[in-house]
Structure formats: C-alpha cells, structure tokens
Amino acid sequence: MDLTWTRGDTLAISITVTDGAEPINLASAHAIMTAKANIADADENALFQIDDTGGDITFPTPEAGEMVVTVPPEATKDLADDKLAGVYDVQVTLQDGSVYTVLSGALTLSADVTRG
C-alpha cells in the first residue's frame, strides 16, 4: 500500500494481520516500521523508524490480529523542505520468532506550509 501525507502530520494506519483467512494472534508480538529514501539504505540511515516499545505501534485487540501504526509528527517534521519520496515496510515478529512483513510500499511526503 503506497502512503502519501504531509510532513509533520500524524498518520494512523489500522492493520489486521491474517494468515490469509484467520487472524494471527499478536499477543507478545513486536512490530517496527522503517521508512527509507532508498531501499538499500542501512536501517541506521532511515528517514524514520518507529516501533511498539515507543507506543507508536499498538495492538488494541491482539488476539484478533489488530494493530495500529501511528507515525507521530516528530518523525517527519524535520525532513527535507521539498517533496520527499521513499519506501517503507511494517514488520511483525511473533513470540515464536516468526517474522512477517505485513505492509510495504512507496511513500511520498509533501512539504507542509504551516511549520508550528
């Protein structure tokens, strides 16, 4: 899923993680979202990275596979002043160590006018 929003704005995405038919239980899962200018960039050079330990990714109903990814304004407000394009993904690691990329695509951030 491609994402487009304005730098410095909040973006919230609700996701239901399934195995194709049934929800995957996300109890004790760990999730991370990484956004990069180029897919080959190291994670340390990401545009931003958020995870569940900081409260930006939550699991409102983990047994139903529900998660909410919220990119806070602070994650993008200091990025380039012009239109910025890149890529992102959201990965979930289950308690048993299984890793799933549950969402990925292109991202486009446009410059904001109000900078307050």
Side-chain angles (χ1 to χ4, degrees):
M1 178 172 90
D2 293 345
L3 301 176
T4 301
W5 81 101
T6 302
R7 177 191 59 200
D9 285 3
T10 301
L11 174 72
I13 308 164
S14 296
I15 304 168
T16 300
V17 181
T18 68
D19 63 4
E22 298 296 319
I24 293 177
N25 189 334
L26 300 176
S28 300
H30 173 66
I32 188 166
M33 176 184 190
T34 304
K36 300 177 180 182
N38 298 293
I39 198 166
D41 291 348
D43 285 356
E44 300 80 39
N45 297 324
L47 297 171
F48 65 86
Q49 198 168 51
I50 60 172
D51 62 27
D52 58 288
T53 61
D56 297 320
I57 300 177
T58 58
F59 304 98
T61 315
E63 64 279 357
E66 295 178 4
M67 61 186 290
V68 178
V69 177
T70 303
V71 180
E74 297 78 26
T76 62
K77 70 179 181 130
D78 293 326
L79 295 177
D81 285 336
D82 52 355
K83 188 174 185 177
L84 180 67
V87 293
Y88 80 96
D89 70 9
V90 177
Q91 286 190 340
V92 174
T93 303
L94 302 181
Q95 187 174 17
D96 67 3
S98 302
V99 177
Y100 297 94
T101 299
V102 298
L103 202 60
S104 64
L107 70 87
T108 303
L109 287 168
S110 57
D112 52 338
V113 176
T114 303
R115 301 290 301 264

